[in-house]
Amino acid sequence: MEIYGMVTGKAGKSGYGSASTAEDVTHSIDAKHLTAIITGGTSGIGLEAARVLGMRGAHVIIASRNTKAANDSKEMILQMYPNARIDCLQLDLSSIKSVRSFIHQFLALNVPLNILINNAGVMFCPFQLSEDGIESQFATNHIGHFLLTNLLLDKMKSSARESGIEGRIVNLSSIAHTYTYTEGIMFDYINDPDRYSEKKAYGQSKLANLLHSNALSRKLQEEGVNITINSVHPGLITTNLFRHSGLGMAVLKAMSFFLWKNIPQGAATTCYVALHPDLKDVTGKYFADCNVTTPSNFATDTTLADKLWDFSIKLVESLP
């Protein structure tokens, strides 16, 4: 990501840049034949992505921990677009039980699945363990989405096979993936409060999102499956993710105000990667400002990605 492009909004090779909005990058795209799940689609860029996909005709399933907020979001979208197809299902990504329950609810709808947007997340939380005994940022941002994606893969594969339409998975990562622990992923001390740093733990979880994308991309290509998976950095956006960040972040924002995006701009890269026809067959990439960019060395380490995959599988299988 070039600072000049971020500040000026100058378009990159894709024809879009930091100033592009979610509506801009999906202009004239007809998504009526698509069904999409968006986690955390009740506020911020998740809600904007749900709105824009709904506006373009996609059947959108908003997956959220807060069912009232999800239904309020649905009503808001329907007031704007009465013909939009929006459903809401309860999902708490910090709970393995809730993820499995969501899968049962979704499969009961008997609809295809073409797009999965793993958007929800928590940021800079004080140390705490999930109900499954996993550090909360790692549990919510990575493990929950890792399990959700794996449990939805068969549905995505069958949808792609039967329809001939490419399936797309979008993992919301962050430039914060570059600020993590010394070893990248602190496998032996994920739940150690003495080694915990709220900011490095967040960076670790965002690195995990990238590594998950890259490992799964390789596996899907080896299978010859018509599904792509890519990671995105949405940009610096003021959302409720920053509720734990305090005075330090307020000062940083004041000093770097020219780099921050509004919510329609923040949702652009997500919607671009999820819908744009130019990205057919593009997989295992990292996008920012609607253009491919280079992540950290950790993020491209295939050995680390495979180790995280095996670690995540064993962790999930060890839980009741």
Side-chain angles (χ1 to χ4, degrees), residues 20-35:
S20 301
T21 67
E23 289 193 24
D24 292 337
V25 304
T26 60
H27 178 70
S28 77
I29 293 177
D30 183 356
K32 292 185 180 69
H33 56 300
L34 301 175
T35 300

Side-chain angles (χ1 to χ4, degrees), residues 139-303:
T140 304
N141 297 350
H142 170 59
I143 290 296
H145 281 126
F146 177 85
L147 178 61
L148 177 73
T149 302
N150 280 6
L151 294 179
L152 288 171
L153 273 180
D154 282 345
K155 170 58 76 171
M156 292 199 76
K157 290 176 183 179
S158 64
S159 298
R161 183 172 59 250
E162 292 165 10
S163 67
I165 299 170
E166 178 183 80
R168 294 190 183 184
I169 303 169
V170 183
N171 274 354
L172 269 286
S173 182
S174 168
I175 194 174
H177 82 274
T178 61
Y179 184 70
T180 183
Y181 296 104
T182 304
E183 58 269 56
I185 305 292
M186 198 166 54
F187 292 105
D188 295 331
Y189 304 100
I190 291 290
N191 298 332
D192 187 342
D194 295 329
R195 295 174 183 257
Y196 182 75
S197 160
E198 59 190 27
K199 292 179 176 59
K200 289 183 179 180
Y202 178 70
Q204 172 179 251
S205 70
K206 296 290 97 179
L207 172 60
N209 295 149
L210 265 160
L211 292 170
H212 170 217
S213 294
N214 295 344
L216 182 55
S217 175
R218 286 187 282 113
K219 293 177 187 295
L220 293 173
Q221 288 181 86
E222 289 168 3
E223 288 183 47
V225 178
N226 190 23
I227 299 173
T228 65
I229 176 167
N230 293 288
S231 303
V232 306
H233 165 56
L236 297 172
I237 312 136
T238 302
T239 69
N240 61 9
L241 263 183
F242 286 94
R243 61 187 178 274
H244 296 296
S245 42
L247 179 61
M249 189 57 67
V251 172
L252 174 62
K253 183 180 177 184
M255 295 173 63
S256 59
F257 66 92
F258 50 87
L259 296 176
W260 290 66
K261 296 181 178 182
N262 58 38
I263 286 174
Q265 292 168 340
T269 306
T270 298
C271 291
Y272 174 71
V273 175
L275 286 183
H276 206 283
D278 284 355
L279 296 187
K280 186 178 185 333
D281 298 326
V282 176
T283 188
K285 302 298 184 183
Y286 175 52
F287 288 80
D289 299 335
C290 300
N291 286 274
V292 174
T293 191
T294 303
S296 70
N297 290 335
F298 276 137
T300 57
D301 185 332
T302 56
T303 300

Side-chain angles (χ1 to χ4, degrees), residues 72-179:
D72 288 346
S73 299
K74 173 182 176 179
E75 290 307 311
M76 184 206 78
I77 296 170
L78 290 176
Q79 285 178 12
M80 300 175 72
Y81 314 106
N83 295 324
R85 296 174 294 157
I86 311 291
D87 283 307
C88 304
L89 293 177
Q90 201 276 336
L91 171 64
D92 180 353
L93 286 158
S94 69
S95 164
I96 298 301
K97 179 180 178 181
S98 178
V99 173
R100 295 187 183 280
S101 176
F102 172 86
I103 297 297
H104 288 301
Q105 294 176 67
F106 172 73
L107 293 179
L109 295 177
N110 195 29
V111 295
L113 180 59
N114 311 105
I115 300 170
L116 171 61
I117 300 177
N118 289 323
N119 165 82
V122 293
M123 181 179 183
F124 300 167
C125 303
F127 180 83
Q128 59 184 347
L129 297 178
S130 71
E131 67 178 47
D132 301 303
I134 307 168
E135 186 275 310
S136 61
Q137 294 193 81
F138 194 76
T140 304
N141 297 350
H142 170 59
I143 290 296
H145 281 126
F146 177 85
L147 178 61
L148 177 73
T149 302
N150 280 6
L151 294 179
L152 288 171
L153 273 180
D154 282 345
K155 170 58 76 171
M156 292 199 76
K157 290 176 183 179
S158 64
S159 298
R161 183 172 59 250
E162 292 165 10
S163 67
I165 299 170
E166 178 183 80
R168 294 190 183 184
I169 303 169
V170 183
N171 274 354
L172 269 286
S173 182
S174 168
I175 194 174
H177 82 274
T178 61
Y179 184 70

